[in-house]
Amino acid sequence: QVQLVESGGGSVQAGGSLRLSCAASGSFFSIDAMGWYRQAPGKQRELAATITSDGTTTYGGPVKGRFTISRDYGKSTVHLQMSSLKPEDTGVYYCTAGIRPNRAAVFRPYWGQGTHVTVSS
């Protein structure tokens, strides 16, 4: 069974940095894009960043210039380096990936359980 396992969340003061990681585990055929979405308390889930299989990145407006997404293709892992953090970055960060579980299947989205990030002023 495919799982996305996140790590690296926590609490930090404004202006600080955190690095999130997400690893795909289990048996699967291939991975397409990977990325991160976030959900602040009382708000809808929004895009943080994504990275495609060929390395093309996309960032949500509020995080551009402060967050950097990267990928370790050999380890099926995606990272999100978050810098210059602001209190409004507080929320639950969810890893997502388009995964093809076997050769006969099509890509479908998988989600991690989420990791909490708290930025205090």
Side-chain angles (χ1 to χ4, degrees), residues 1-2 7 12 20 22 30 34 52 58 77 79 84 90 100 120:
Q1 185 175 352
V2 181
S7 61
V12 65
L20 306 182
C22 171
S30 63
M34 301 185 78
T52 65
T58 302
T77 301
H79 307 283
S84 302
T90 294
R100 194 175 170 188
S120 58

Side-chain angles (χ1 to χ4, degrees), residues 7-8 18-22 35-38 48-50 59 63 66-71 78-83 93:
S7 61
L18 281 175
R19 178 178 168 90
L20 306 182
S21 295
C22 171
W36 295 89
Y37 281 71
R38 66 183 190 176
T50 61
Y59 293 93
V63 311
R66 300 186 297 120
F67 291 10
T68 302
I69 190 168
S70 62
R71 188 165 167 177
V78 65
H79 307 283
L80 186 67
Q81 178 66 46
M82 306 185 293
S83 302
Y93 284 68

Side-chain angles (χ1 to χ4, degrees), residues 97-120:
I99 296 176
R100 194 175 170 188
N102 56 68
R103 183 186 294 271
V106 298
F107 285 102
R108 52 156 287 205
Y110 287 78
W111 292 88
Q113 294 289 330
T115 185
H116 290 264
V117 171
T118 302
V119 184
S120 58

Side-chain angles (χ1 to χ4, degrees), residues 29 32 64 88 92 96 98:
F29 182 71
D32 190 12
K64 278 183 181 178
E88 49 265 44
V92 181
T96 184

